[in-house]
Structure formats: C-alpha cells, structure tokens
Coordinates of all heavy atoms in Angstrom, one line a residue:
M1 N -2.4 14.1 -12.9 CA -3.3 13.8 -11.8 C -2.6 14.0 -10.5 O -1.5 13.7 -10.3 CB -3.7 12.3 -11.9 CG -4.7 12.0 -13.0 SD -6.3 12.8 -12.8 CE -7.2 11.7 -11.9
A2 N -3.4 14.6 -9.6 CA -2.9 14.8 -8.2 C -4.0 14.6 -7.2 O -5.1 15.1 -7.5 CB -2.2 16.2 -8.0
E3 N -3.7 14.0 -6.1 CA -4.8 13.9 -5.1 C -4.6 15.1 -4.1 O -3.5 15.4 -3.8 CB -4.6 12.6 -4.3 CG -5.0 11.4 -5.2 CD -5.0 10.1 -4.3 OE1 -5.3 10.2 -3.1 OE2 -4.7 9.1 -4.9
I4 N -5.7 15.6 -3.8 CA -5.7 16.7 -2.8 C -6.7 16.4 -1.7 O -7.6 15.6 -1.9 CB -6.1 18.1 -3.4 CG1 -7.5 18.1 -4.1 CG2 -5.0 18.5 -4.5 CD1 -7.9 19.4 -4.6
P5 N -6.5 16.9 -0.5 CA -7.4 16.7 0.6 C -8.8 17.1 0.3 O -9.1 18.0 -0.5 CB -6.9 17.5 1.8 CG -5.4 17.7 1.4 CD -5.4 17.8 -0.1
E6 N -9.8 16.3 0.8 CA -11.2 16.5 0.5 C -11.6 18.0 0.8 O -12.4 18.6 0.1 CB -12.0 15.5 1.3 CG -13.5 15.6 0.9 CD -13.8 15.1 -0.5 OE1 -13.1 14.4 -1.1 OE2 -14.8 15.6 -1.0
D7 N -11.2 18.5 2.0 CA -11.6 19.9 2.3 C -11.1 20.9 1.3 O -11.8 21.8 0.9 CB -11.0 20.3 3.7 CG -11.7 19.5 4.8 OD1 -12.8 19.0 4.6 OD2 -11.1 19.5 5.9
L8 N -9.9 20.7 0.8 CA -9.3 21.6 -0.2 C -10.1 21.4 -1.5 O -10.4 22.4 -2.2 CB -7.9 21.3 -0.5 CG -7.1 22.2 -1.4 CD1 -7.2 23.6 -1.0 CD2 -5.7 21.8 -1.5
H9 N -10.5 20.2 -1.9 CA -11.3 19.9 -3.1 C -12.6 20.6 -3.0 O -13.1 21.2 -4.0 CB -11.5 18.4 -3.3 CG -12.2 18.1 -4.5 ND1 -13.5 17.7 -4.5 CD2 -11.8 18.1 -5.8 CE1 -14.0 17.5 -5.7 NE2 -12.9 17.7 -6.5
E10 N -13.3 20.5 -1.8 CA -14.6 21.2 -1.7 C -14.4 22.7 -1.8 O -15.3 23.4 -2.4 CB -15.2 20.8 -0.3 CG -15.7 19.4 -0.3 CD -16.7 19.0 -1.3 OE1 -17.6 19.9 -1.5 OE2 -16.7 18.0 -1.9
S11 N -13.4 23.3 -1.2 CA -13.2 24.7 -1.3 C -12.9 25.1 -2.8 O -13.5 26.1 -3.2 CB -12.0 25.1 -0.5 OG -12.2 24.9 0.9
L12 N -12.2 24.3 -3.5 CA -11.9 24.6 -4.9 C -13.2 24.5 -5.7 O -13.5 25.4 -6.5 CB -10.9 23.6 -5.5 CG -10.6 23.6 -6.9 CD1 -10.1 25.0 -7.3 CD2 -9.7 22.5 -7.4
K13 N -14.1 23.5 -5.4 CA -15.3 23.4 -6.1 C -16.2 24.6 -5.9 O -16.8 25.2 -6.8 CB -16.1 22.2 -5.6 CG -15.9 21.0 -6.5 CD -16.6 19.7 -6.0 CE -18.0 19.9 -5.5 NZ -18.7 18.7 -5.1
R14 N -16.3 25.1 -4.6 CA -17.1 26.3 -4.3 C -16.5 27.5 -5.0 O -17.3 28.3 -5.5 CB -17.2 26.5 -2.8 CG -18.1 25.5 -2.1 CD -18.4 25.9 -0.7 NE -17.2 25.9 0.2 CZ -16.7 24.8 0.8 NH1 -17.3 23.7 0.6 NH2 -15.6 24.9 1.5
Y15 N -15.2 27.6 -5.0 CA -14.6 28.8 -5.6 C -14.9 28.8 -7.1 O -15.3 29.8 -7.7 CB -13.1 28.8 -5.4 CG -12.4 30.0 -6.1 CD1 -12.3 31.2 -5.4 CD2 -11.9 29.9 -7.4 CE1 -11.8 32.3 -6.0 CE2 -11.3 31.0 -8.0 CZ -11.3 32.2 -7.3 OH -10.7 33.3 -7.9
L16 N -14.8 27.7 -7.8 CA -15.1 27.6 -9.2 C -16.5 27.8 -9.6 O -16.8 28.4 -10.6 CB -14.6 26.2 -9.8 CG -13.1 26.0 -9.7 CD1 -12.7 24.6 -10.2 CD2 -12.3 27.1 -10.6
E17 N -17.4 27.4 -8.7 CA -18.8 27.7 -8.9 C -19.2 29.1 -8.8 O -20.1 29.6 -9.5 CB -19.7 26.9 -7.8 CG -19.7 25.4 -8.0 CD -20.3 24.7 -6.8 OE1 -20.7 25.3 -5.8 OE2 -20.4 23.4 -6.9
T18 N -18.4 29.9 -8.1 CA -18.7 31.3 -7.9 C -17.8 32.2 -8.8 O -18.0 33.4 -8.8 CB -18.6 31.8 -6.4 OG1 -17.3 31.5 -6.0 CG2 -19.6 31.1 -5.6
H19 N -16.9 31.6 -9.5 CA -16.0 32.4 -10.4 C -15.9 31.7 -11.7 O -15.0 30.9 -12.0 CB -14.6 32.5 -9.7 CG -14.5 33.2 -8.5 ND1 -14.8 32.7 -7.2 CD2 -14.2 34.5 -8.2 CE1 -14.7 33.6 -6.3 NE2 -14.4 34.8 -6.9
P20 N -16.9 31.9 -12.6 CA -17.0 31.2 -13.8 C -15.9 31.4 -14.8 O -15.7 30.6 -15.7 CB -18.3 31.6 -14.4 CG -18.7 32.9 -13.7 CD -18.0 32.8 -12.4
T21 N -15.1 32.5 -14.6 CA -14.0 32.7 -15.6 C -12.7 31.9 -15.2 O -11.8 32.0 -16.0 CB -13.6 34.2 -15.6 OG1 -13.2 34.7 -14.3 CG2 -14.8 35.1 -16.1
W22 N -12.8 31.3 -14.1 CA -11.6 30.4 -13.7 C -12.0 29.0 -13.9 O -13.1 28.6 -13.8 CB -11.3 30.7 -12.2 CG -10.6 31.9 -11.9 CD1 -11.2 33.2 -11.9 CD2 -9.2 32.1 -11.6 NE1 -10.2 34.1 -11.6 CE2 -9.0 33.5 -11.5 CE3 -8.2 31.2 -11.5 CZ2 -7.7 34.0 -11.2 CZ3 -6.9 31.7 -11.2 CH2 -6.7 33.1 -11.0
D23 N -11.0 28.2 -14.2 CA -11.1 26.7 -14.2 C -10.0 26.1 -13.3 O -9.1 26.8 -12.8 CB -11.1 26.2 -15.6 CG -9.8 26.4 -16.4 OD1 -8.7 26.6 -15.7 OD2 -9.8 26.4 -17.6
Q24 N -10.1 24.8 -13.2 CA -9.2 24.1 -12.3 C -7.8 24.3 -12.7 O -6.9 24.5 -11.9 CB -9.6 22.6 -12.2 CG -8.7 21.8 -11.3 CD -9.2 20.4 -11.2 OE1 -10.4 20.1 -11.0 NE2 -8.3 19.4 -11.4
D25 N -7.5 24.2 -14.0 CA -6.1 24.3 -14.5 C -5.6 25.7 -14.2 O -4.4 25.8 -13.8 CB -6.0 24.0 -16.0 CG -6.3 22.6 -16.3 OD1 -6.0 21.7 -15.4 OD2 -6.7 22.3 -17.4
R26 N -6.4 26.7 -14.3 CA -5.9 28.1 -14.1 C -5.6 28.3 -12.6 O -4.6 28.9 -12.2 CB -7.0 29.1 -14.5 CG -6.6 30.5 -14.4 CD -7.7 31.4 -15.0 NE -7.4 32.8 -14.7 CZ -8.3 33.8 -14.9 NH1 -9.5 33.5 -15.4 NH2 -8.0 35.0 -14.6
V27 N -6.5 27.7 -11.7 CA -6.3 27.8 -10.3 C -5.0 27.1 -9.9 O -4.1 27.7 -9.2 CB -7.4 27.2 -9.5 CG1 -7.1 27.1 -8.0 CG2 -8.7 28.1 -9.7
F28 N -4.7 25.9 -10.4 CA -3.5 25.2 -10.1 C -2.3 25.9 -10.6 O -1.2 25.9 -9.9 CB -3.6 23.8 -10.6 CG -4.5 22.9 -9.7 CD1 -5.2 21.8 -10.3 CD2 -4.7 23.1 -8.4 CE1 -6.1 21.0 -9.6 CE2 -5.5 22.3 -7.6 CZ -6.2 21.2 -8.2
A29 N -2.3 26.4 -11.8 CA -1.2 27.1 -12.4 C -0.9 28.4 -11.5 O 0.3 28.6 -11.2 CB -1.5 27.6 -13.8
A30 N -1.9 29.1 -11.1 CA -1.7 30.3 -10.3 C -1.1 29.9 -8.9 O -0.1 30.5 -8.4 CB -2.9 31.1 -10.1
A31 N -1.6 28.8 -8.3 CA -1.2 28.4 -7.0 C 0.2 27.9 -7.0 O 1.1 28.2 -6.2 CB -2.2 27.4 -6.4
L32 N 0.5 27.0 -8.0 CA 1.9 26.5 -8.0 C 2.9 27.5 -8.4 O 4.0 27.5 -7.8 CB 1.9 25.3 -9.1 CG 3.2 24.6 -9.3 CD1 3.7 24.0 -7.9 CD2 3.1 23.5 -10.3
S33 N 2.6 28.4 -9.3 CA 3.6 29.4 -9.7 C 3.8 30.4 -8.5 O 4.9 30.8 -8.2 CB 3.2 30.2 -10.9 OG 1.9 30.8 -10.8
L34 N 2.8 30.7 -7.7 CA 2.9 31.6 -6.6 C 3.8 30.9 -5.5 O 4.7 31.5 -4.9 CB 1.6 32.0 -6.0 CG 1.6 32.9 -4.7 CD1 2.4 34.2 -5.0 CD2 0.2 33.1 -4.2
F35 N 3.5 29.6 -5.3 CA 4.3 28.8 -4.3 C 5.8 28.9 -4.7 O 6.7 29.1 -3.9 CB 3.9 27.4 -4.3 CG 4.8 26.5 -3.5 CD1 4.7 26.5 -2.1 CD2 5.7 25.7 -4.1 CE1 5.5 25.7 -1.3 CE2 6.6 24.9 -3.3 CZ 6.5 24.9 -2.0
L36 N 6.1 28.7 -6.0 CA 7.5 28.7 -6.5 C 8.1 30.1 -6.4 O 9.3 30.2 -6.0 CB 7.6 28.2 -7.9 CG 7.2 26.7 -8.1 CD1 7.1 26.3 -9.5 CD2 8.2 25.8 -7.3
L37 N 7.3 31.1 -6.6 CA 7.8 32.5 -6.4 C 8.2 32.8 -5.0 O 9.2 33.3 -4.7 CB 6.8 33.5 -6.9 CG 6.6 33.6 -8.4 CD1 5.4 34.5 -8.7 CD2 7.9 34.2 -9.0
Q38 N 7.3 32.3 -4.1 CA 7.5 32.6 -2.7 C 8.7 31.8 -2.1 O 9.3 32.2 -1.1 CB 6.2 32.3 -1.9 CG 5.2 33.3 -2.2 CD 3.8 33.0 -1.5 OE1 3.6 31.8 -1.2 NE2 3.0 34.0 -1.3
N39 N 9.0 30.6 -2.7 CA 9.9 29.7 -2.1 C 11.2 29.6 -2.9 O 12.1 28.8 -2.5 CB 9.3 28.4 -1.8 CG 8.2 28.4 -0.8 OD1 8.5 28.6 0.4 ND2 7.0 28.4 -1.2
G40 N 11.3 30.3 -4.0 CA 12.5 30.3 -4.8 C 13.4 31.4 -4.5 O 13.1 32.3 -3.7
S41 N 14.6 31.4 -5.1 CA 15.5 32.5 -4.9 C 16.2 32.7 -6.3 O 16.3 31.8 -7.1 CB 16.6 32.2 -3.9 OG 17.4 31.2 -4.4
G42 N 16.5 33.9 -6.5 CA 17.2 34.3 -7.8 C 18.6 34.5 -7.7 O 19.2 35.4 -8.3
K43 N 19.3 33.7 -6.9 CA 20.7 33.9 -6.6 C 21.7 33.5 -7.7 O 22.8 34.0 -7.8 CB 21.1 33.2 -5.3 CG 20.4 33.8 -4.1 CD 20.8 33.2 -2.8 CE 20.0 33.8 -1.6 NZ 20.3 33.2 -0.4
T44 N 21.2 32.6 -8.5 CA 22.0 32.2 -9.7 C 21.3 32.6 -11.0 O 20.1 32.9 -10.9 CB 22.3 30.7 -9.7 OG1 21.0 30.0 -10.0 CG2 22.9 30.2 -8.4
A45 N 22.0 32.6 -12.1 CA 21.4 33.0 -13.3 C 20.3 32.0 -13.7 O 19.2 32.5 -14.1 CB 22.4 33.0 -14.5
E46 N 20.5 30.7 -13.5 CA 19.4 29.8 -13.8 C 18.2 30.0 -12.9 O 17.1 29.9 -13.3 CB 20.0 28.3 -13.6 CG 19.0 27.3 -14.0 CD 19.5 25.9 -13.8 OE1 20.7 25.7 -13.7 OE2 18.7 24.9 -13.8
A47 N 18.4 30.2 -11.6 CA 17.3 30.4 -10.6 C 16.6 31.7 -11.0 O 15.4 31.7 -10.9 CB 17.9 30.5 -9.2
S48 N 17.3 32.7 -11.4 CA 16.7 34.0 -11.8 C 15.8 33.8 -13.0 O 14.7 34.3 -13.1 CB 17.8 35.0 -12.1 OG 17.2 36.2 -12.4
Q49 N 16.3 33.0 -14.0 CA 15.5 32.7 -15.2 C 14.2 31.9 -14.8 O 13.1 32.2 -15.3 CB 16.3 31.9 -16.2 CG 15.6 31.7 -17.5 CD 16.5 31.0 -18.5 OE1 17.5 30.4 -18.1 NE2 16.2 31.1 -19.8
T50 N 14.3 30.9 -13.9 CA 13.2 30.2 -13.5 C 12.2 31.0 -12.7 O 11.0 30.9 -12.9 CB 13.7 29.0 -12.6 OG1 14.6 28.2 -13.3 CG2 12.5 28.2 -12.1
Y51 N 12.7 31.9 -11.9 CA 11.9 32.9 -11.1 C 11.0 33.7 -12.1 O 9.8 33.9 -11.9 CB 12.8 33.7 -10.2 CG 12.0 34.6 -9.3 CD1 11.6 34.1 -8.0 CD2 11.7 35.9 -9.6 CE1 10.9 34.9 -7.2 CE2 11.0 36.7 -8.7 CZ 10.6 36.2 -7.5 OH 9.9 37.0 -6.7
R52 N 11.7 34.3 -13.1 CA 11.0 35.1 -14.1 C 9.9 34.3 -14.8 O 8.8 34.8 -15.1 CB 11.9 35.7 -15.1 CG 12.7 36.9 -14.5 CD 13.5 37.7 -15.5 NE 14.4 36.9 -16.3 CZ 15.7 36.6 -16.0 NH1 16.2 37.1 -14.9 NH2 16.4 35.9 -16.8
A53 N 10.2 33.0 -15.2 CA 9.2 32.2 -15.8 C 8.0 31.9 -14.9 O 6.9 32.0 -15.4 CB 9.9 30.9 -16.3
C54 N 8.3 31.7 -13.6 CA 7.2 31.5 -12.7 C 6.3 32.7 -12.5 O 5.1 32.7 -12.5 CB 7.7 31.0 -11.3 SG 8.4 29.4 -11.3
A55 N 7.0 33.9 -12.5 CA 6.3 35.1 -12.4 C 5.4 35.4 -13.6 O 4.3 35.8 -13.5 CB 7.3 36.3 -12.2
R56 N 5.9 35.0 -14.8 CA 5.1 35.2 -16.0 C 3.9 34.3 -16.0 O 2.8 34.8 -16.3 CB 6.0 34.9 -17.2 CG 5.2 35.0 -18.6 CD 6.1 34.6 -19.8 NE 6.7 33.3 -19.6 CZ 6.1 32.1 -19.7 NH1 4.8 32.1 -20.0 NH2 6.7 31.0 -19.6
V57 N 4.0 33.0 -15.6 CA 2.9 32.1 -15.5 C 1.9 32.6 -14.5 O 0.7 32.6 -14.7 CB 3.4 30.7 -15.2 CG1 2.2 29.8 -14.8 CG2 4.2 30.1 -16.3
Y58 N 2.4 33.1 -13.3 CA 1.5 33.5 -12.3 C 0.7 34.7 -12.8 O -0.6 34.8 -12.7 CB 2.3 33.9 -11.0 CG 1.4 34.5 -9.9 CD1 0.5 33.7 -9.3 CD2 1.5 35.8 -9.6 CE1 -0.3 34.2 -8.3 CE2 0.7 36.3 -8.5 CZ -0.2 35.5 -7.9 OH -1.0 36.0 -6.9
L59 N 1.3 35.7 -13.4 CA 0.6 36.9 -13.8 C -0.3 36.6 -15.0 O -1.4 37.1 -15.0 CB 1.6 38.0 -14.2 CG 2.4 38.6 -13.0 CD1 3.5 39.5 -13.5 CD2 1.5 39.3 -12.0
E60 N 0.1 35.8 -15.9 CA -0.8 35.4 -17.0 C -2.0 34.7 -16.5 O -3.1 34.9 -17.0 CB -0.1 34.5 -18.0 CG 0.9 35.3 -18.9 CD 1.7 34.3 -19.8 OE1 1.6 33.1 -19.7 OE2 2.5 34.9 -20.6
S61 N -1.9 33.8 -15.5 CA -3.1 33.1 -15.0 C -4.0 34.0 -14.2 O -5.2 33.9 -14.3 CB -2.6 31.9 -14.1 OG -2.0 32.4 -12.9
L62 N -3.5 35.0 -13.6 CA -4.3 36.0 -12.9 C -5.1 36.9 -13.8 O -6.2 37.3 -13.6 CB -3.5 36.9 -11.9 CG -3.0 36.2 -10.6 CD1 -2.2 37.2 -9.8 CD2 -4.1 35.6 -9.9
F63 N -4.4 37.4 -14.9 CA -5.0 38.4 -15.7 C -5.4 38.0 -17.1 O -5.7 38.8 -17.9 CB -3.9 39.6 -15.8 CG -3.6 40.2 -14.5 CD1 -2.4 40.1 -13.9 CD2 -4.6 40.9 -13.9 CE1 -2.1 40.7 -12.7 CE2 -4.3 41.5 -12.6 CZ -3.1 41.4 -12.1
Q64 N -5.5 36.7 -17.3 CA -6.0 36.2 -18.6 C -7.4 36.6 -18.8 O -8.2 36.6 -17.8 CB -5.7 34.7 -18.8 CG -6.7 33.8 -18.0 CD -6.4 32.3 -18.2 OE1 -5.3 32.0 -18.7 NE2 -7.3 31.5 -17.9
S65 N -7.8 36.8 -20.0 CA -9.1 37.2 -20.4 C -10.0 36.0 -20.3 O -9.6 34.9 -20.6 CB -9.2 37.8 -21.8 OG -8.4 38.9 -21.8
P66 N -11.3 36.2 -19.9 CA -12.2 35.0 -19.9 C -12.5 34.6 -21.3 O -12.4 35.3 -22.3 CB -13.5 35.6 -19.3 CG -13.3 37.0 -19.2 CD -11.9 37.4 -19.4
P67 N -12.8 33.3 -21.5 CA -13.0 32.8 -22.9 C -14.2 33.5 -23.5 O -15.2 33.8 -22.8 CB -13.3 31.3 -22.7 CG -13.3 31.0 -21.2 CD -12.9 32.3 -20.5
A68 N -14.1 33.7 -24.8 CA -15.2 34.4 -25.5 C -16.3 33.5 -25.8 O -16.3 32.3 -25.8 CB -14.6 34.9 -26.8

C-alpha cells in the first residue's frame, strides 16, 4: 500500500479508464523501474546487475501482451 497525491490518483484513474490493457500494478511497475533506471548507475557489478533487472521489469511492463 502506498498513498499518492489526489491529483496523481485522478490522473491514474483516467489513464486506466482509457487504456484497458493496463492495470494499476503494471503502471506502478513501469514507473518505479523507469525511476530506478534514470537514477541508478552501473558503476559496480552489483549496481550493473540491479540496473539490468530494472530494465527487464520496465520493458516487460511496457510490452506485455494484454490478458486473453
């Protein structure tokens, strides 16, 4: 559970209403992984591995197939 500002919640609701193949979990996974990609660095082996994991989650959330 996380609290988000009301304006952000309303924007999320409107987005989900117009994009039926997305759900709240998918949006949050994409947003969080993109944030980590943009703000992380791959300077150490561990950081590089984490960066690749975040990239994988981000791309999977963007390109996953809609439920059948």
Side-chain angles (χ1 to χ4, degrees):
M1 286 298 267
E3 290 188 30
I4 60 173
E6 186 65 27
D7 291 341
L8 184 56
H9 182 260
E10 289 300 320
S11 293
L12 176 61
K13 268 179 39 177
R14 283 192 299 275
Y15 181 85
L16 293 175
E17 288 169 358
T18 58
H19 296 84
T21 59
W22 283 76
D23 62 23
Q24 181 174 311
D25 290 336
R26 185 176 172 192
V27 170
F28 285 147
L32 182 55
S33 58
L34 179 58
F35 172 83
L36 293 171
L37 284 171
Q38 291 174 336
N39 293 288
S41 67
K43 294 182 180 176
T44 66
E46 184 179 346
S48 182
Q49 186 177 17
T50 301
Y51 186 87
R52 285 192 303 273
C54 288
R56 181 184 48 78
V57 169
Y58 178 68
L59 292 172
E60 284 176 357
S61 64
L62 286 183
F63 297 111
Q64 75 182 17
S65 300

